[in-house]
């Protein structure tokens, strides 16, 4: 313990102050002392004891007590000193554990509580008399009051009322102090004025009226009623106001099924008629999707929508992102979309301004706790390449997930607990206290505005009916259902409150409710009157012209390529590139003259040419700046200073931005993010690269539910490009296959392009085609590993300055008329076959490459096959097992093009695991495949 004799009172006071602000800031011994409540110990600090002495009757405060205390040095009061220590502990307990005792459940379940919150259980017991002797000011609370006796009820109401907070886990001291002050001062919890109250009540009437009207008029149709968490809509109203006030011109909203119809009507501003028409079965939105793209459309609670909202400071756009059933999958998509809205893509690395757009995510309580994508998305918030300046997360917590109780659905106390690991403040609020809910939004926005950080509101309500309108909740939650049946609605409760406060009369309360439902009825009547008439075709801003030109010139003049190549080697004065890397890069000019342009070089030239032509690029992935295989090096690091430099962002003639970021170690969130970005940045080339292609299956939900089907379901276009390293090189079952077969199985109606380039030039032209062709679809490119440096896969300058991407590459150096077998393959196995010892022995075999697997180049394949007059058989050779790779999806296409010539399979047999774990076993298989392809 400290040698307290030497401690003067001023110093002790200073430490106490520091401790009260941040207990972690003082040494453990001092902390132990302050927290011990051990009176003797405290008394051993004579200076402190004197300082803490206060006059009875609560007239004193810390400051006032100092001077006389020091002068008079009266006998210390052991009991009081102990009480002060206990009071400090109590304050801390309210801040940390108050949420455990808060009245958050509208259904009135008793909170678990915590003994640390009970003043009578502390040692010494904080009796009312003792409380009255402890000045509030020395406790550093902001709730007001002279003494602890005054402050305690206020602390209780602040931290354990219909709102509760979790902020003490936040690691930034400044944020904690700001939040404590904001919360305890009730700065954002000012009572609403009569006008605001009236408006809030009217809104609750509309929310409830909409759900009730739909339920009564369309018995049994799914609407996923919001009732029980109705205040969600007024909270979104407030959010849009505050977002606009802080300068946002766009709010991007992501949510699931619950309450979506209400959001469409009241947040997006979709006319009631349009929603009612959906229920009437005309399904207008889907009809448009289906008509234009041969799409399937989607159920009404998945479709995206956009509206423009009038706020006090002007208009703000509101986009509701289309989402699949897969709960929470839309989270990263919303973030990416918002990021694109926030980015000025005119030059350099892109200029990110988070103030212009804002993401809001609504989560179900079960989904928030259960779905891992929530954590992956949270992990993006502070990353330079992904931040959106803070997301408002609103958990619409109805205390149930379908039929699953919270105790079955999560291991943690609150649904929101995951967010604590992300330094995020959590505001809990009882959904039956609508004014508190509004204040939660105000606090959340103030915090986001100040710290640019995510914030969570946990809105605790209930679900008035079943999971959907066809469900009977009493089968599984009989007690809860019974209780809810007699529980007044929040509109009724708030109406009664306003009557009591004299804001509204009982008649007005009823009239406003009836009027809200009346508006629905009127809209329905108007709609019914139009039945039988033709529905005007709805214009849709995301329709892609079907006949957009697809032929684009992907070649770049030699002189331009030389200029760009030279600029890409330029570094600032005094910048030292690693000498080994510098030698590698210095070979690039030689390659321009002598041939040998490798993958990384061709890619850099494709990117640079596009940026100079005004096409913005965004490239992300794990270790993508350097490239997993150390072949890219778009970002250079000074060996002496560690400083980074990206030549691509400093081209003389750049007309667009070039964003490149190493991603966090996530696939689901990162692919979702880039998909979202690509939908909001249709002019840009957005690429995501997998570390190895296999890992893309971590993003399978995004691939299945968004990338491949978003156009057919929602008319949502994207040109996202996935670069997936693929190829059998003896690295084992997991680093070989990008699961080409899965992409091919998803391919239909030209929803994707799937390619596997074998030369640097092909890759160059492919990237440029993807960027320049506005009608392009998401591109899935199987990228190479060994080929990145293979001499045979390099290209010449002429290959880039002339020509275009070829879906099929014919065999080279063969005697066409004598060829009896055509071996067709795709990707790197081509080099294994033509490089095999048995190649070239027979003149009657030709080996050609299929570079584009989907859309299958039917005509090119037909022509290729027809150019071999003596052909007797076609062999499809692949290194993947027979149940994988391209074979099963392209076989019928090949047979169609073969016109009766037999097509045979050569490759690995059916396998449960994609590749061999032992390099020797791999080598034997590769050899067998090549040999089989080449032996007649
Ligand atoms: C990834 C995923 N798994 C399962 C489902 C099926 N499902 C639909 S709603 C639901 C319960 C959701 O509960 P919660 O997140 O609390 O939202 P609530 O319906 O209560 O608003 C489930 C399991 C789904 N939609 N998505
Ligand atoms: Mg729920």
């Amino acid at each position: 313990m400290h040698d307290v004799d030497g401690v003067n009172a001023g110093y002790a006071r200073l430490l106490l102050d520091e401790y009260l602000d941040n207990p972690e800031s003082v040494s453990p011994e001092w902390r132990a002392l302050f927290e011990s409540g051990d009176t003797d110990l405290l008394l051993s600090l004579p200076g402190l004891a004197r300082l803490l002495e206060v006059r009875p009757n609560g007239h004193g405060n810390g400051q006032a007590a100092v001077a006389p205390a020091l002068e008079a040095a009266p006998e210390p009061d052991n009991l009081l000193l102990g009480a002060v220590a206990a009071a400090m502990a109590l304050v801390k307990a309210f801040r940390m554990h108050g949420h455990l005792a808060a009245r958050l459940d509208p259904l009135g379940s008793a909170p678990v509580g915590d003994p640390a919150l009970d003043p009578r259980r502390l040692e010494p017991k904080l009796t009312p008399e003792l409380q009255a002797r402890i000045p509030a000011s020395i406790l550093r609370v902001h709730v007001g009051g002279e003494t602890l006796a005054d402050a305690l009820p206020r602390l209780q109401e602040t931290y354990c009322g219909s709102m509760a907070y979790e902020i003490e886990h936040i690691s930034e001291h400044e944020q904690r102090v700001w939040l404590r002050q904001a919360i305890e001062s009730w700065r954002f919890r000012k009572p609403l004025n009569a006008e605001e109250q009236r408006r809030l009540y009217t809104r609750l009437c509309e929310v409830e009226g909409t759900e009730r009207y739909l339920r009564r008029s369309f018995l049994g149709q799914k609407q996923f009623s919001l009732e029980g968490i109705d205040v969600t809509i007024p909270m979104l109203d407030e959010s849009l106001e505050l977002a606009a006030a802080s300068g946002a011109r766009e709010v991007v909203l992501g949510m699931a099924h619950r309450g979506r119809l209400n959001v469409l009507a009241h947040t997006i501003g979709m006319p009631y008629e349009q929603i009612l028409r959906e229920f009437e079965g005309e399904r207008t939105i889907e009809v448009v999707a289906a008509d234009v793209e041969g799409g399937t459309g989607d159920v009404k609670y998945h479709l995206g929508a956009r509206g423009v909202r009038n706020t006090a400071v002007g208009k703000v756009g509101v986009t509701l992102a289309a989402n699949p059933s897969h709960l929470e999958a839309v989270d990263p998509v919303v973030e990416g979309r918002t990021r694109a809205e926030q980015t000025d893509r005119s030059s350099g690395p892109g200029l990110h301004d988070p103030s212009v757009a804002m993401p809001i995510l609504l989560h179900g309580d079960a989904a928030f706790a259960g779905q891992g994508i929530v954590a992956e998305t949270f992990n993006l918030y502070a990353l330079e390449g992904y931040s959106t300046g803070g997301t408002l997360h609103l958990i619409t917590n109805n205390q149930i997930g379908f039929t699953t109780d919270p105790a079955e659905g999560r291991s943690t106390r609150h649904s929101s607990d995951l967010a604590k690991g992300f330094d995020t403040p959590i505001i809990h609020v009882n959904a039956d206290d609508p004014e508190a809910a509004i204040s939660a939004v105000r606090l959340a926005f103030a915090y986001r505005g100040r710290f640019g950080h995510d914030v969570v509101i946990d809105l605790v309500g209930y679900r008035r009916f079943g999971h959907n309108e066809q469900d009977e909740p009493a089968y599984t939650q009989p007690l809860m259902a019974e209780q809810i049946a007699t529980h007044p609605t929040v509109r009724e409760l708030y109406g009664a409150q306003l009557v009591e406060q004299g804001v509204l009369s009982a008649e007005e309360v009823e009239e406003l409710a009836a009027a809200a439902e009346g508006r629905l009825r009127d809209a329905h009547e108007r709609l019914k009157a139009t039945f039988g008439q033709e529905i005007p075709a709805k214009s849709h801003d995301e329709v892609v012209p079907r006949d957009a030109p697809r032929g684009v010139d992907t070649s770049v003049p030699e002189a331009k390529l030389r200029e760009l190549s030279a600029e890409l080697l330029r570094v600032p004065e005094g910048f030292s590139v690693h000498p080994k890397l510098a030698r590698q890069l210095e070979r690039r000019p030689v390659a321009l003259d002598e041939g040998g342009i490798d993958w990384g070089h061709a890619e850099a030239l494709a990117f640079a040419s596009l940026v100079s032509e005004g096409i913005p690029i965004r490239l992300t992935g794990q270790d993508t700046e350097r490239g997993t295989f150390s072949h890219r090096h778009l970002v250079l690091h000074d060996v002496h200073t560690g400083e980074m430099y990206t030549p691509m962002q400093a081209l003389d003639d750049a007309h667009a931005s070039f964003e490149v970021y190493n991603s966090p170690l996530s696939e689901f969130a990162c692919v979702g993010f880039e998909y979202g970005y690509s939908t909001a940045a249709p002019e840009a080339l957005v690429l995501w690269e997998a570390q190895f292609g296999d890992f893309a299956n971590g993003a399978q939900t995004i691939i299945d539910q968004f990338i491949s089907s978003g156009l057919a379901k929602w008319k949502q276009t994207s040109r996202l490009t996935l670069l997936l390293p693929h190829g059998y090189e003896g690295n084992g079952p997991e680093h070989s296959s990008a699961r080409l077969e899965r992409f091919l199985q998803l391919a239909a109606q030209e929803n994707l392009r799937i390619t596997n380039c074998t030369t640097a030039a092909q890759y160059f032209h492919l990237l440029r085609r993807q960027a320049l062709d506005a009608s392009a679809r998401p591109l899935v490119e199987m990228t190479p590993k060994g080929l990145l440096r293979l001499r045979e896969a390099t290209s010449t300058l002429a290959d880039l300055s002339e020509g275009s991407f070829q879906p099929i590459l014919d065999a080279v150096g063969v005697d066409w008329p004598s060829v009896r077998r055509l071996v067709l393959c795709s990707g790197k196995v081509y080099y294994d076959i033509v490089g095999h010892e048995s190649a070239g022995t027979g003149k009657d075999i030709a080996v050609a490459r299929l570079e584009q697997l989907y859309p299958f180049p039917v005509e090119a394949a037909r022509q290729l096959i027809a150019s071999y007059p003596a052909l007797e058989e076609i062999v499809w050779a692949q290194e993947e097992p027979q149940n994988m790779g391209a074979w099963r999806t392209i076989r019928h296409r090949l047979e169609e093009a073969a016109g009766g010539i037999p097509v045979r399979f050569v490759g690995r047999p059916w396998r449960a695991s994609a590749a061999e774990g032992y390099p020797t076993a791999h080598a034997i298989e590769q050899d067998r495949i090549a040999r089989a392809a080449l032996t007649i």
Side-chain angles (χ1 to χ4, degrees), residues 810-822 843-846 863-871:
D810 199 353
V812 280
V814 292
D815 180 26
W816 276 268
S818 60
V819 168
R820 291 195 291 138
R821 175 191 285 180
L822 173 64
K843 276 199 177 329
D844 46 4
I845 295 177
Q863 281 173 21
L864 174 84
I865 292 166
S867 70
Y868 293 96
L871 212 55

Side-chain angles (χ1 to χ4, degrees), residues 53-275:
E53 197 213 26
V54 284
R55 291 168 214 153
N57 307 325
H59 293 305
N61 59 39
Q63 259 79 48
V66 174
L70 284 178
E71 282 155 21
E75 280 303 300
D77 180 337
N78 288 9
L79 180 66
L80 183 60
L81 285 170
V84 168
M88 288 171 350
L90 186 63
V91 169
K92 192 173 167 197
F94 272 108
R95 288 172 173 165
M96 290 199 58
H97 309 301
H99 61 96
L100 296 171
R103 299 187 309 273
L104 296 174
D105 180 5
L107 302 178
S109 65
V112 289
D114 193 283
L117 298 167
D118 185 351
R120 290 160 312 180
R121 289 177 70 160
L122 290 163
E123 191 49 55
K125 217 175 264 164
L126 286 177
T127 61
E129 298 74 49
L130 271 177
Q131 289 178 23
R133 291 176 65 195
I134 301 170
S137 59
I138 66 163
L139 300 173
R140 290 293 178 97
V141 288
H142 310 279
V143 291
E146 285 282 298
T147 68
L148 177 63
D150 307 327
L152 196 54
R154 299 185 197 185
L155 277 171
Q156 242 147 2
E157 187 49 25
T158 302
Y159 284 109
C160 309
S162 54
M163 293 186 79
Y165 309 87
E166 290 178 85
I167 58 166
E168 296 296 330
H169 56 278
I170 295 173
S171 63
E172 289 285 331
H173 178 239
E174 190 196 347
Q175 294 188 19
R176 283 199 310 276
V177 171
W178 186 92
L179 281 162
R180 281 180 207 142
Q181 209 281 332
I183 291 164
E184 293 174 11
S185 68
W186 287 48
R187 199 148 44 99
F188 299 97
R189 245 187 126 171
K190 302 219 171 71
L192 300 184
N193 64 38
E195 180 46 39
E196 290 171 315
Q197 289 182 311
R198 199 186 161 88
R199 217 180 314 138
L200 176 53
Y201 175 72
T202 308
R203 206 57 166 153
L204 291 173
C205 292
E206 289 169 344
V207 174
E208 185 182 302
T210 301
E211 299 290 358
R212 284 166 56 122
Y213 187 83
L214 291 177
R215 187 169 45 253
R216 274 201 256 107
S217 308
F218 305 99
L219 218 65
Q221 275 210 43
K222 284 188 194 177
Q223 67 191 62
F224 295 107
S225 160
L226 187 64
E227 286 152 288
I229 38 173
D230 310 44
V231 73
T232 303
I233 299 296
M235 289 172 87
L236 289 174
D237 292 339
E238 186 69 15
S239 299
L240 296 185
E241 284 295 332
L242 293 174
S246 67
R249 51 171 172 68
E250 189 75 26
V251 171
V252 186
L253 212 69
M255 69 180 296
H257 49 284
R258 176 92 37 226
R260 197 173 177 109
L261 298 172
N262 234 305
V263 166
L264 284 173
H266 299 127
T267 309
I268 302 293
M270 187 180 275
Y272 287 152
E273 277 99 321
Q274 200 174 328
I275 292 167

Side-chain angles (χ1 to χ4, degrees), residues 33-49:
L33 174 67
F34 292 141
E35 286 169 6
S36 65
D38 179 339
T39 318
D40 291 340
L41 203 62
L42 280 167
L43 278 173
S44 68
L45 288 170
L48 181 65

Side-chain angles (χ1 to χ4, degrees), residues 653-852:
D653 195 23
H655 291 98
S657 59
F658 183 78
E659 295 178 70
V660 60
Y661 296 105
N662 287 339
S663 78
L665 215 169
S666 138
E667 287 79 26
F668 195 169
C670 289
V671 177
F673 190 98
E674 300 312 324
Y675 173 80
Y677 192 108
S678 73
T679 61
E683 84 290 7
L685 176 65
V686 182
L687 310 102
W688 176 81
E689 181 176 64
Q691 187 114 69
F692 285 92
D694 322 43
F695 300 122
N697 62 13
Q700 201 64 48
T701 305
I702 301 293
I703 294 164
D704 290 352
Q705 265 59 40
F706 291 87
I707 296 174
S708 63
S709 59
L711 183 63
K713 294 191 293 188
W714 317 313
K715 292 201 302 94
Q716 186 152 286
T717 56
S718 164
R719 271 195 285 166
L720 180 63
T721 294
L722 304 182
L723 303 177
L724 310 180
H726 173 82
Y728 283 55
E729 298 179 3
N731 292 322
E734 254 65 83
H735 286 162
S736 300
S737 173
R739 299 295 188 170
L740 172 65
E741 63 279 3
R742 298 240 177 94
F743 293 97
L744 286 169
Q745 194 225 347
L746 292 171
Q749 298 177 295
E750 298 195 23
N751 60 339
L752 301 171
R753 286 176 180 177
I754 303 170
T755 53
N756 192 352
C757 296
T758 55
T759 72
Q762 280 279 83
Y763 182 53
F764 172 88
H765 290 293
L766 177 72
L767 287 176
R768 286 185 47 81
R769 184 181 80 168
Q770 182 69 3
L772 295 170
D773 177 1
S775 71
R777 297 290 184 244
L779 170 67
V780 182
E781 156 70 356
M782 303 284 123
T783 56
K785 293 168 284 182
L787 258 53
L788 294 169
R789 294 183 177 80
L790 188 76
R791 180 76 200 174
E792 290 81 352
T794 61
S795 301
T796 66
L797 189 57
D799 293 334
L800 312 189
S801 65
E802 293 160 18
S804 59
F805 173 80
Q806 299 301 313
I808 289 187
L809 294 177
D810 199 353
V812 280
V814 292
D815 180 26
W816 276 268
S818 60
V819 168
R820 291 195 291 138
R821 175 191 285 180
L822 173 64
V823 177
L824 250 179
C825 59
S826 188
K828 159 248 157 198
V829 75
Y830 167 79
Y831 294 103
D832 294 345
I833 295 172
V834 296
H836 193 263
E837 59 186 22
S838 54
T841 48
K843 276 199 177 329
D844 46 4
I845 295 177
V847 187
R849 288 167 269 181
L850 185 60
E851 303 269 302
Q852 177 169 304

Side-chain angles (χ1 to χ4, degrees), residues 258 363-367 396-402 404 463:
R258 176 92 37 226
H363 310 269
D365 52 312
T396 49
N397 185 348
N398 52 16
Q399 309 189 68
I400 193 162
F402 207 154
T404 302
R463 192 183 69 199

